[in-house]
Amino acid sequence: MALHHFHLRADWPGLRNDVGKLECGGLKTEISIPPEMDGPGVGTNPDEMLLGAAATCFIITLAAMMERSKLVKEDLTLSSEGLVESEGGVITYKKIIHRPHITLPAGAGDKEIKLAKKLAEKAESSCMITRAIKGNVEVELETSIFVNE
């Protein structure tokens, strides 16, 4: 078993509505509270970062599964949405919705369409981030599959 280490450094020089900095591998960004939560909205924030982690993990996992299954695709894109609830000063990340758009080449039939849908569902449940947040944040999948003419 291999144990991988990832290191993050954050600097927060001020109070609630100030701007900090975050560095983790290739990720270097400013961080602050988003404007939706009465913050300055500079750089990124925890809500976007969790959504980004879940989305990148999902799309990479799906692409790897498609490759292993030898399912040829012409295009794979993803839009994801995070739903965060704020009530009485308590902020809760409620749900992430992944909307993968898979384009298969001309000539793809029912077999390839079913496989693409199955792999999207498997990638969602297999993704490391989805497994890490399971039981705390609901993850929903809305897959669109197209076949080029």
Side-chain angles (χ1 to χ4, degrees):
M1 174 172 61
L3 183 61
H4 305 280
H5 296 260
F6 297 91
H7 301 276
L8 180 142
R9 175 164 168 69
D11 179 31
W12 193 265
L15 301 173
R16 180 192 188 278
N17 279 341
D18 283 316
V19 177
K21 292 183 180 173
L22 179 139
E23 290 187 29
C24 185
L27 176 63
K28 292 177 173 71
T29 186
E30 290 183 307
I31 53 174
S32 73
I33 295 173
E36 297 87 349
M37 297 174 187
D38 299 321
V42 176
T44 192
N45 57 69
D47 311 283
E48 291 174 345
M49 291 183 68
L50 181 60
L51 181 60
T56 54
C57 184
F58 170 77
I59 199 166
I60 291 168
T61 302
L62 178 53
M65 288 179 167
M66 293 171 106
E67 180 181 338
R68 282 193 299 273
S69 296
K70 298 186 180 0
L71 178 64
V72 178
K73 65 169 175 62
E74 289 198 356
D75 196 29
L76 172 60
T77 61
L78 176 67
S79 62
S80 294
E81 180 179 359
L83 285 75
V84 178
E85 181 180 86
S86 180
E87 185 177 330
V90 177
I91 300 167
T92 305
Y93 216 113
K94 299 299 280 184
K95 182 191 285 191
I96 292 174
I97 305 167
H98 292 309
R99 296 180 179 101
H101 302 271
I102 303 166
T103 304
L104 301 175
D110 286 345
K111 179 182 172 188
E112 290 82 8
I113 292 169
K114 285 179 185 173
L115 179 57
K117 184 172 175 39
K118 177 183 169 188
L119 291 175
E121 290 167 1
K122 188 174 179 185
E124 185 271 317
S125 64
S126 301
C127 164
M128 170 182 69
I129 302 299
T130 300
R131 289 188 330 232
I133 63 176
K134 188 174 183 160
N136 292 306
V137 179
E138 180 186 351
V139 179
E140 190 176 296
L141 189 63
E142 298 175 2
T143 306
S144 300
I145 302 171
F146 305 95
V147 177
N148 266 345
E149 299 298 319

